[in-house]
Amino acid sequence: VEPITLVNFANINNVTSEVVDGTPALEDFLAQDIRVVPGATYKVTVKGNADGPYTNLFRAYIDWNQDGVFAEDASERYELGSLTGSTGISGESTFAYITIPMSAVAGTTRVRIVKNFNAGGAACTSSSFGQAEDYSLTLDPGATPPPAIPTLSKAFSPAGTEYVLPTTLTISLGQLNAVATITTTAALTDTLPAGLSVAATPNESTTCPSGVVTAAVGTGTVTLASGAQIPPTGCTVSVDVQAAAAGAYVNTIAAGALQTDAGNNVSAASATFHGLASTPSSYSTGFEAPFTVGAVNTQQGWFGSTTGAAISAAMPAAGTQHLRVTSTSSSSATVSAISPTQLAGVAAYSVLTAKLRITRNTNGATFDFNPQDPAAGVVSTLVRFNKGATREIQMPNFTTGLYEPTGATWPLATYFDISMIFDRAAETVEVCIDGASIYNGANAVSSPYIGNVVAKWTGQSSTTAGNTMDVDDLTFGDSDTPPVCTP
């Protein structure tokens, strides 16, 4: 038992012992009743003892529907962050904000705070190092409301356009738990990323009362002067900006940059503008000549692990060569092969097609095949071919952080066709296997642009050699017409 040493939530501030194995694995604090206002947002702060230079992850579970079960999804589970090397009394803490659902069942329910070594701990397990604590929580419209919390967000409109055209950057200032106008106490400055500057016609404006915006043509900063007011309904700052070249531009304002008489923003605000090339390059390869059999990190712009990723002649789908990723002996490292990176263009769709062949060994690897948007620093989506007996094809839910079954399975040790069709305007992706659609939605999309592709096996300490993923006839690029699922 490596204990939780602080839980601060609404009206409770529970400080407990930092002694390892000094308290139960599940501590009962049900006598402490957290009283919250429906619809309000609360900061939940936790501390704990890692018992050395280790990382611990914290979660909160709240049984909103009072069914006696903590749901392992975003409906009742909240990630509170992580701490590394904390003693529990050395000052480090982590926190998250929890909004009380208006739909929560009235009355008193249970809260569980979970601290777990190296990974998020499930609500009902004791198989690792850490601890859990239980509290009561009562929905009380008459409880003391929490203070206002300044918020900051931003967006580009359009989020992607030919780079020679301007886009409008909008910075939104707001409040959680708002009851009155708050005022900025220092200038808020947004420093644009290199290559992005204020357009020749800035069109700068703000809806913040008493706000003054400075955005000089050709410069890389936008500033809202001190003294601007933020009404309970929020306000915005807008300015037109333009890119110098094609690429992805990630624009971030740091936590704490928005300073007000009600406190500062606790979370950074970030948005990405894709400056698109008018004549993008598309990528296509069957891994034939000038590829030669051998490690991929020496060939044709590919990069890969020196052991486990190679050009092979063992089992091509067509021609004589293909890419093979092989799970190695027990290791926590990830074996992968990464394609060359291409520019994204102005077309309405990003499209990827390939032929894949996967083998299954019970102790072997689970494989992922994912297009990326490296300029924006994100994975576009992730298709997971689970090694389990049912051979599930899974997609991530970037909202909940979980992998979810699609209902489809992958064929064993035989080539099949896969395609991924990204609708850039809707920010959705359709995944097709052998001409049949197995997923179509937005939850699995971080970016609707493809810059390169990764074939990999997921690093697992229990994995042994044996499983392979073969890749052939890989293409990705842009399309002006909506593609359909075709083999």
Side-chain angles (χ1 to χ4, degrees):
V1 177
E2 297 174 352
I4 297 166
T5 59
L6 170 72
V7 173
N8 182 290
F9 188 168
N11 57 296
I12 72 161
N13 187 63
N14 192 32
V15 179
T16 50
S17 171
E18 80 281 9
V19 177
V20 173
D21 286 331
T23 48
L26 174 61
E27 280 202 277
D28 184 344
F29 293 114
L30 291 173
Q32 299 195 36
D33 188 17
I34 303 165
R35 305 193 76 84
V36 297
V37 178
T41 300
Y42 292 83
K43 182 179 181 180
V44 181
T45 302
V46 291
K47 295 182 179 182
N49 187 353
D51 194 26
Y54 308 111
T55 297
N56 287 173
L57 280 74
F58 294 79
R59 283 176 170 170
Y61 291 86
I62 307 177
D63 184 19
W64 295 121
N65 61 7
Q66 298 185 36
D67 67 348
V69 176
F70 290 122
E72 288 288 350
D73 60 29
S75 66
E76 295 189 337
R77 189 184 79 188
Y78 301 86
E79 307 299 333
L80 302 181
S82 64
L83 294 174
T84 300
S86 175
T87 66
I89 57 174
S90 50
E92 300 93 345
S93 64
T94 182
F95 66 89
Y97 285 93
I98 293 179
T99 298
I100 311 306
M102 295 299 296
S103 60
V105 175
T108 300
T109 191
R110 184 176 296 220
V111 174
R112 177 164 294 171
I113 307 296
V114 177
K115 169 183 173 291
N116 196 67
F117 164 68
N118 206 43
C124 300
T125 184
S126 58
S127 61
S128 184
F129 300 92
Q131 190 181 43
E133 294 181 350
D134 279 4
Y135 297 85
S136 297
L137 180 145
T138 300
L139 275 72
D140 180 4
T144 301
I149 303 168
T151 63
L152 198 62
S153 62
K154 58 173 29 182
F156 290 100
S157 182
T161 187
E162 192 172 359
Y163 78 91
V164 296
L165 301 176
T167 182
T168 300
L169 167 64
T170 299
I171 304 168
S172 298
L173 296 74
Q175 305 181 49
L176 298 174
N177 308 319
V179 294
T181 295
I182 62 177
T183 304
T184 62
T185 57
L188 172 66
T189 298
D190 182 10
T191 301
L192 303 176
L196 198 65
S197 61
V198 177
T201 304
N203 294 318
E204 70 274 25
S205 65
T206 181
T207 62
C208 300
S210 303
V212 178
V213 180
T214 301
V217 173
T219 66
T221 58
V222 179
T223 301
L224 176 67
S226 177
Q229 297 179 332
I230 307 173
T233 54
C235 60
T236 61
V237 173
S238 296
V239 62
D240 288 352
V241 297
Q242 188 168 341
Y249 297 86
V250 182
N251 182 204
T252 301
I253 301 178
L258 174 60
Q259 301 176 38
T260 79
D261 56 7
N264 306 338
N265 66 302
V266 295
S267 300
S270 188
T272 300
F273 171 64
H274 282 84
L276 304 176
S278 56
T279 55
S281 54
S282 294
Y283 185 79
S284 177
T285 183
F287 301 100
E288 304 299 318
F291 283 93
T292 59
V293 172
V296 299
N297 62 338
T298 61
Q299 299 193 52
Q300 307 304 311
W302 280 76
F303 176 80
S305 308
T306 54
T307 301
I311 303 302
S312 172
M315 191 67 63
T320 61
Q321 295 178 173
H322 61 100
L323 171 68
R324 170 164 286 187
V325 179
T326 304
S327 61
T328 59
S329 297
S330 182
S331 170
S332 60
T334 296
V335 174
S336 63
I338 307 175
S339 78
T341 298
Q342 310 296 312
L343 289 173
V346 296
Y349 300 90
S350 297
V351 182
L352 175 150
T353 64
K355 293 183 181 296
L356 303 181
R357 177 184 178 275
I358 302 171
T359 63
R360 178 181 179 270
N361 180 317
T362 303
N363 295 321
T366 286
F367 286 96
D368 290 343
F369 191 65
N370 55 283
Q372 299 187 135
D373 184 357
V378 297
V379 171
S380 302
T381 194
L382 236 165
V383 182
R384 172 157 290 184
F385 301 95
N386 191 279
K387 69 178 182 180
T390 58
R391 306 195 307 276
E392 287 182 343
I393 302 177
Q394 301 170 341
M395 298 292 292
N397 185 322
F398 290 123
T399 301
T400 65
L402 303 174
Y403 282 92
E404 299 176 348
T406 61
T409 60
W410 50 272
L412 181 62
T414 185
Y415 272 102
F416 58 91
D417 293 291
I418 182 171
S419 63
M420 303 182 207
I421 304 164
F422 290 86
D423 184 323
R424 293 175 174 175
E427 296 193 350
T428 59
V429 62
E430 183 176 21
V431 179
C432 309
I433 300 294
D434 284 337
S437 179
I438 66 165
Y439 177 89
N440 196 344
N443 287 337
V445 178
S446 285
S447 170
Y449 299 90
I450 301 175
N452 64 22
V453 180
V454 178
K456 67 178 183 179
W457 68 269
T458 57
Q460 301 164 356
S461 59
S462 62
T463 298
T464 57
N467 286 358
T468 59
M469 171 188 274
D470 295 328
V471 183
D472 212 344
D473 291 348
L474 169 65
T475 69
F476 62 87
D478 301 299
S479 174
D480 283 315
T481 57
V484 294
C485 283
T486 54

